[in-house]
């Protein structure tokens, strides 16, 4: 099992050890980690690097970039040059920006596209989390994988699925999406490879996403792909086997 979305927000050994124990408890082989700590972005990236260096067999690094900051162009250059960073994450809700009205974002996404890393995007919960605001970038960079975290949550779940269905390089991640009608639409409309397993640990329990998959009537082979194969292929062509 590969968990595509988890956080380490308290930079303490106890939190990291708790995350690793949770992985062992539920059979999570690899976990992509990022942090939303209020500390400077570069410090956060270096912290994630250190976590991955200490646990390379368990953890995969993801850098959260805030394009509102003057430092964001330097932050993305550092992240893209790091061997420990395998994904880039944007959280327009946490950082309060509209992706279609940000001068730095096109430059940043262009640099990510050159490197070939997947992009995770927080969707849902208010006007900053509308999936359609990212379509211009999805269309502009067809070779870059764009992953909508939380499947648009409750407010944008239906339209998030429509956006992903329109683009071969767009995907949805399952954590924090518990509306059965939205989930059923995703499983009926989207290719199985476009549905990705994540937990949002520790804000959400790992069992929450596991129970979502138990509640949806799909074949076991498709569940197994969501647990491992789909994410494995997202991460730089399946490097993390």
């Amino acid at each position: 099992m590969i968990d595509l979305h988890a956080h380490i927000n308290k930079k303490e050994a106890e939190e990291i050890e708790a995350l690793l124990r949770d992985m062992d408890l539920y059979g999570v082989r690899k976990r992509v980690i990022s942090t939303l700590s209020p500390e400077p972005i570069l410090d956060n990236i270096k912290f994630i690097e250190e976590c991955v260096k200490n646990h390379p067999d368990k953890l995969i690094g993801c850098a959260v970039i805030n394009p509102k900051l003057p430092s964001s162009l330097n932050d993305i250059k550092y992240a893209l040059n790091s061997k420990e960073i395998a994904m880039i994450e944007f959280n327009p809700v946490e950082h309060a920006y509209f992706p279609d009205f940000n001068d730095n974002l096109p430059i940043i996404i262009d640099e990510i596209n050159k490197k070939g890393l997947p992009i995770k995007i927080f969707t849902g919960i208010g006007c900053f989390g509308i999936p359609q605001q990212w379509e211009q970038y999805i269309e502009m960079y067809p070779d870059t994988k764009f992953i909508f975290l939380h499947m648009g949550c409750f407010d944008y779940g239906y339209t998030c699925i429509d956006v992903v269905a329109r683009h071969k390089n767009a995907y949805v991640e399952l954590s924090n999406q518990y509306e059965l009608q939205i989930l059923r639409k995703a499983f009926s409309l989207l290719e199985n490879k476009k549905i990705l397993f994540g937990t949002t640990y520790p804000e959400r329990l790992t069992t929450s996403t596991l129970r979502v998959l138990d509640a949806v009537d799909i074949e076991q082979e498709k569940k197994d792909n969501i647990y491992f194969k789909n994410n494995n292929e997202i991460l730089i062509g399946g490097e993390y086997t």
Side-chain angles (χ1 to χ4, degrees):
M1 193 184 304
I2 298 176
D3 178 3
L4 203 70
H5 187 59
H7 295 139
I8 300 179
N9 292 325
K10 295 180 181 178
K11 298 179 180 180
E12 301 170 357
E14 292 82 1
E15 179 156 335
I16 298 169
E17 291 304 318
L19 179 141
L20 296 171
R21 286 196 301 271
D22 182 81
M23 292 176 65
D24 292 339
L25 180 63
Y26 294 106
V28 177
R29 187 187 302 183
K30 296 275 187 177
R31 180 164 259 169
V32 179
I33 58 166
S34 59
T35 181
L36 295 173
S37 167
E39 296 180 29
I41 295 292
L42 186 58
D43 290 350
N44 286 343
I45 296 171
K46 290 179 179 179
F47 168 70
I48 293 296
E49 278 185 308
E50 193 64 26
C51 291
V52 175
K53 286 177 182 177
N54 290 336
H55 305 281
D57 57 328
K58 294 273 193 179
L59 303 180
I60 300 166
C62 175
V64 178
I65 300 295
N66 181 359
K68 284 179 64 176
L69 299 177
S71 66
S72 60
L73 299 181
N74 289 327
D75 295 336
I76 191 61
K77 287 179 183 177
Y78 183 92
L80 293 176
N81 284 321
S82 170
K83 294 186 296 183
E84 284 71 39
I85 300 299
M87 304 187 85
I88 303 298
E89 181 178 337
F90 295 109
N91 194 319
V93 175
E94 180 77 17
H95 295 141
Y97 62 88
F98 291 106
D100 40 2
F101 294 103
N102 184 283
D103 292 338
N104 286 335
L105 193 56
I107 302 169
I108 292 169
I109 293 180
D110 191 64
E111 291 300 315
I112 298 169
N113 178 68
K114 292 174 186 176
K115 191 73 173 183
L117 297 191
I119 294 172
K120 297 194 297 181
I121 302 160
F122 185 102
T123 56
I125 312 181
C127 60
F128 296 120
I130 301 173
Q132 289 94 326
Q133 295 175 126
W134 294 86
E135 278 199 272
Q136 60 178 311
Y137 299 112
I138 296 172
E139 293 169 356
M140 195 179 303
Y141 297 104
D143 295 326
T144 295
K145 301 178 179 73
F146 291 83
I147 301 157
F148 289 120
L149 297 173
H150 319 309
M151 204 183 289
C153 293
F154 308 118
D155 38 1
Y156 303 121
Y158 294 105
T159 54
C160 184
I161 294 164
D162 292 334
V163 171
V164 170
R166 287 196 288 266
H167 304 285
K168 68 178 181 62
N169 57 325
Y171 303 77
V172 293
E173 181 266 345
L174 282 169
S175 68
N176 207 38
Q177 179 54 264
Y178 310 118
E179 185 67 46
L180 274 177
Q181 290 90 337
I182 295 172
L183 291 162
R184 286 170 181 148
K185 177 175 179 175
F187 284 104
S188 64
L189 187 63
L190 300 180
E191 295 178 78
N192 180 259
K193 68 180 182 180
K194 285 174 163 278
I195 302 172
L196 310 175
F197 178 80
T199 64
T200 314
Y201 177 91
E203 291 89 348
R204 300 291 182 270
L205 298 174
T206 299
T207 52
S208 297
T209 310
L210 296 174
R211 288 172 179 167
V212 161
L213 283 171
D214 289 340
V216 179
D217 185 21
I218 61 171
E219 297 91 336
Q220 186 60 46
E221 182 181 359
K222 290 184 177 180
K223 288 185 182 181
D224 292 340
N225 288 344
I226 292 167
Y227 285 136
F228 181 79
K229 182 181 177 182
N230 296 353
N231 285 351
N232 197 48
E233 292 179 353
I234 285 288
L235 288 158
I236 318 298
E239 180 179 336
Y240 296 93
T241 54

